[in-house]
């Protein structure tokens, strides 16, 4: 949940690291810090708050001169966000500086041991424990000391290390937390993701668990946990710097909403060949499974709720969707006949990883739907289908979510065909519908101005309900999450038929209810629910398909979206809800791309 960068070369380490931290800020933004090495001296500056606070202090600090250093932007796990707890942390002897992403589970035990040896601690962090342990293990051989320290740590970490005795070299290592190395010419980098250095190089090496990299300006050497050198392949990143920049948009979130037609197209197109769905990455016989279990967190779970409906509806295969943080502890009834689908944008979500491990231990085959190439989830899965959304920087996911749904559509149609559950005619119709999705998503974006006006009307609401049925309900869950996470307005999503079992007590004069009415077979039912809330004073904003005339008589405001087959409506109908959340948050002057208390990838439990 934190951002890490390391650099060594001949350029100005401070400028390069601060610039990288700005790009990484979406990973955590409660404090930040930088350490630069100059000969045998390590100088460090840290600041509470956003990276800009650090920049304003660091730029004035003449000691931060050097060609080698590390930086960090934090999402606090141990200890409140303040200057002392910010990273890097220095060992007591000043020999080591360390930045860390992850959680050290046995930190208390190690800390006690080190205190008994006479060491003292300044911060409340587990990271300081690690750097002190490193210094305790050091006898002049840094590689040996890092490997020994790694072997004593229980938990997850991606680390960057400077050692005063080894100028010009940065070290990085990982267990269950991502580290990518960037290869330049006469300079090298590492980061918790590629955005840290994408403006300098596209040639990367993915570090694997229990590996240590020694990075100097001309050479990168990687060792396994035994200290043996390992050869790694170099991967070329396919996207470029523009994808990780705002390109004129006020916020990444708006840019990413607008990128959805292109992202959906990039996800769909390579997998349709001669009007057939082809998953080169999926060499499985779907007939051997008697059920599908989808697991994920947050919006990825909500994409899974849509996926569950689609798979069950067209494959007639028992499918459930379960939150990964619950599944991992529920001793789930999974066996080798269960296909587990793990969904994740970042590919690093701790609970999803744990749920996958649990599923694998019970013999399930695990398929990942994942955006980040080479991520832990992609590697852990038996099969991975990538969503080609490109980098997603805004904490609130948009194109990550819609591309996950696009993959579910393709997977379900592919599976239904294998299972003989759809005939050739329906198969061809579905494929034509899939091919039209990018264009329909593009047309939906034409609602931008209208949604903005509605947000102007409704942004002052203190509580907003989303209601829908079946597919529409699954989308309400995501629409409501989008609103609450970036605007901090209380919001609930309800299966419309459930309202009368309790929640309708909360409906009062002026309460805004967003009614999603795009699932045609249940239109009359949701209209009854609209009438019920209106009778109790609610104002209703309805989202319906473009040929729906009835709805104007029922709702106070209406947004009409392009019509397609019922199963494909969710990927379209979420778009105005994303825009609505965005403009409500904007009117409320919220920090849209970096909402409070959140971070982009949730690598802790
Ligand atoms: O990277 P993942 O897709 O695994 O992340 C899962 C959730 O943390 C994520 O979707 C979260 O709910 C988003 N902030 C929602 O916008």
């Amino acid at each position: 949940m934190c951002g890490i960068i390391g650099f060594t070369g001949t350029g100005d380490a401070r400028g390069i690291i601060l610039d990288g931290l700005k790009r990484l800020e979406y990973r955590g933004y409660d404090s930040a810090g930088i350490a630069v090495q100059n000969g045998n001296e390590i100088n460090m500056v840290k600041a509470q708050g956003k990276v800009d606070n650090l920049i304003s202090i660091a730029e004035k600090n003449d000691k931060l001169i050097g060609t080698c250093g590390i930086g960090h932007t934090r999402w606090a796990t141990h200890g409140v966000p303040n200057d002392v707890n910010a990273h890097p942390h220095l060992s007591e002897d000043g020999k080591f500086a360390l930045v860390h992403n992850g959680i050290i589970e046995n930190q208390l035990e190690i800390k006690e041991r080190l205190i008994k040896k006479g060491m003292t601690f300044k911060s409340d962090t587990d990271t300081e424990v690690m750097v002190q342990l490193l210094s305790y293990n050091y006898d002049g051989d840094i590689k040996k000391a890092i490997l020994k320290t790694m072997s004593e740590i229980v938990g997850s970490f991606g680390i960057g290390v400077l050692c005063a005795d080894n100028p010009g070299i940065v070290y990085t290592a990982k267990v269950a937390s991502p580290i990518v190395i960037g290869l330049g010419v006469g300079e090298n980098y590492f980061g918790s993701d590629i955005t840290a250095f994408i403006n300098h190089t596209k040639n990367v090496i993915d570090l694997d668990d229990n590996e240590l990299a020694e990075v100097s300006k001309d050479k990168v050497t990687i060792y396994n946990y035994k200290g043996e050198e390992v050869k790694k392949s170099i991967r070329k990143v396919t996207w470029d710097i523009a994808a990780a920049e705002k390109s004129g948009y006020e916020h990444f979130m708006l840019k990413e909403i607008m990128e959805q037609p292109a992202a959906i197209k990039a996800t769909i197109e390579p997998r349709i060949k001669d009007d057939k769905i082809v998953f080169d990455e999926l060499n499985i016989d779907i007939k051997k499974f008697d059920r599908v279990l989808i697991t994920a967190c947050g919006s990825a779970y909500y994409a899974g709720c849509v996926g569950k409906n689609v798979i069950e509806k067209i494959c007639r295969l028992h499918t459930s969707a379960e939150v990964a943080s619950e599944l991992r502890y529920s001793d789930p009834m999974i066996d080798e006949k269960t296909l587990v689908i793990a969904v994740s944008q970042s590919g690093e979500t701790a609970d999803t990883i744990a749920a996958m491990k649990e599923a694998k231990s019970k013999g399930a085959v695990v398929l990942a739907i994942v955006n980040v190439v080479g991520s832990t989830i992609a590697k852990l899965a038996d099969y991975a289908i990538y969503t080609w959304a490109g980098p997603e920087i805004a904490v609130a996911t948009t194109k990550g979510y819609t591309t996950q749904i696009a993959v579910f559509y393709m997977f379900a149609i592919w599976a239904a065909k294998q299972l003989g559950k759809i005939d050739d005619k329906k198969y061809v119709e579905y494929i034509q519908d899939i091919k039209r999705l990018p264009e329909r998503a593009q047309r939906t974006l034409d609602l931008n101005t209208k949604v903005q006006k509605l947000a102007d009307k409704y942004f002052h609401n203190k509580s907003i309900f989303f209601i829908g049925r079946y597919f529409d309900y699954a989308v309400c869950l995501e629409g409501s999450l989008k609103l609450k996470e970036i605007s901090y307005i209380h919001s609930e999503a309800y299966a419309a038929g459930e309202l009368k079992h309790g929640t309708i007590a909360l409906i009062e004069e002026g309460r805004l209810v967003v009614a999603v009415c795009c699932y045609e077979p249940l239109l009359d039912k949701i209209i009854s629910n609209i009438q019920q809330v209106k009778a109790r004073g609610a104002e209703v904003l309805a989202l319906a398909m473009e040929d729906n005339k009835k709805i104007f008589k029922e709702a106070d405001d209406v947004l009409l979206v392009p019509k397609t087959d019922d199963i494909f409506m969710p990927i379209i109908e979420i778009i105005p809800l994303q825009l609505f959340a965005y403009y409500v948050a904007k009117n409320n002057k919220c920090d849209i791309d970096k909402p409070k208390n959140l971070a982009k990838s949730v690598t802790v439990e």
Side-chain angles (χ1 to χ4, degrees), residues 107 160 169 226 309 325 339 381 395 414 453 551 572 584 593:
Q107 58 123 355
I169 303 179
K226 293 187 215 154
N309 289 344
S325 56
L339 175 65
V395 165
W414 173 86
K453 286 198 180 118
I551 201 72
I572 301 298
V584 167
D593 285 337

Side-chain angles (χ1 to χ4, degrees), residues 296-301 343-349 352 377 395-398 404 478 481-482 485 598-602:
C297 302
S299 296
Y301 165 69
V343 192
S344 176
Q345 188 285 127
S346 65
E348 302 296 342
T349 302
T352 308
I377 286 177
V395 165
T397 181
T398 51
Q404 286 159 0
E478 172 63 3
L481 176 65
K482 221 62 324 155
E485 75 177 316
L598 296 176
K600 184 67 180 165
S601 58
V602 186

Side-chain angles (χ1 to χ4, degrees), residues 181-203:
I181 295 166
L183 306 171
V185 179
E187 58 185 29
N188 288 308
Y189 304 79
F190 62 81
S192 44
D193 71 55
I194 295 157
T195 44
F197 51 72
I198 187 68
N199 48 332
H200 300 287
T201 179
K202 288 184 168 190
N203 296 322

Side-chain angles (χ1 to χ4, degrees), residues 189-451:
Y189 304 79
F190 62 81
S192 44
D193 71 55
I194 295 157
T195 44
F197 51 72
I198 187 68
N199 48 332
H200 300 287
T201 179
K202 288 184 168 190
N203 296 322
V204 303
I205 294 175
D206 298 303
L207 208 61
D208 283 308
D209 279 356
N210 291 304
E211 287 179 343
L212 160 67
E214 188 178 60
V215 183
S216 64
K217 73 181 173 58
D218 299 311
K219 196 171 173 210
V220 174
T221 316
I222 296 172
Y223 303 97
N224 65 16
Y225 70 98
K226 293 187 215 154
E228 299 159 345
E229 202 174 322
V230 283
K231 291 277 161 243
K232 305 274 293 185
S233 52
I234 299 172
R235 172 165 74 86
K236 189 120 193 146
V237 177
T238 50
W239 48 272
D240 57 27
I241 181 143
E245 292 188 330
K246 284 191 204 153
S247 313
Y249 285 95
E250 194 177 346
H251 296 100
F252 278 110
M253 183 178 177
L254 186 58
K255 177 182 176 235
E256 288 161 7
I257 290 173
M258 296 299 171
E259 282 172 350
Q260 289 180 107
I264 295 168
K265 189 165 185 225
T267 302
I268 287 169
E269 242 177 31
R271 294 171 174 128
I272 298 186
K273 292 176 190 151
D274 299 326
D275 278 343
K276 288 193 179 60
I277 294 174
V278 180
F279 280 118
D280 291 329
E281 58 275 72
L282 203 57
N283 181 22
I284 50 174
D285 176 10
I286 194 76
K287 294 189 191 93
K288 77 176 211 198
F289 301 106
D290 59 14
R291 72 179 281 231
V292 176
L293 195 161
I294 300 165
T295 190
C297 302
S299 296
Y301 165 69
Y302 294 147
C305 294
V306 175
K308 169 207 146 56
N309 289 344
V310 180
I311 295 170
E312 279 204 330
K313 190 171 170 66
I314 68 172
C315 300
R316 305 312 299 154
L317 182 59
H318 173 56
T319 305
S320 54
E322 293 186 33
V323 169
S325 56
E326 290 293 311
L327 184 81
R328 64 183 289 190
Y329 294 119
S330 65
D331 190 13
M333 292 176 62
I334 291 173
D335 60 23
E336 54 294 335
K337 287 185 164 179
T338 314
L339 175 65
V340 170
I341 304 183
V343 192
S344 176
Q345 188 285 127
S346 65
E348 302 296 342
T349 302
D351 285 319
T352 308
I353 292 169
M356 289 170 79
K357 288 183 179 163
E358 174 70 12
K360 287 188 98 171
S361 75
K362 290 179 176 262
V365 171
V366 178
L367 161 66
I369 297 176
V370 59
N371 193 39
V372 176
V373 176
S375 56
T376 307
I377 286 177
K379 285 183 183 159
L380 183 62
D382 298 301
Y383 303 96
I385 302 178
Y386 284 110
T387 50
W388 296 115
E392 194 178 59
I393 309 290
V395 165
T397 181
T398 51
K399 60 178 181 169
Y401 169 86
T402 42
T403 50
Q404 286 159 0
I405 293 183
V407 170
F408 272 118
Y409 289 147
M410 300 190 80
F411 172 81
I413 295 163
W414 173 86
K417 186 81 171 78
Q418 311 289 317
L419 294 167
K421 298 289 180 187
I422 48 173
D423 58 25
D424 287 349
K425 183 167 169 283
K426 196 68 201 166
Y427 182 71
V428 169
E429 274 171 29
Y430 277 150
I431 294 203
Q432 294 316 313
D433 277 332
I434 290 230
K435 286 181 16 186
R436 284 187 210 112
L437 288 178
E439 178 267 321
R440 285 185 169 132
Q442 190 63 53
R443 270 205 290 138
T444 312
L445 286 169
D446 293 344
L447 288 169
N448 188 25
T449 313
K450 186 156 189 205
V451 177

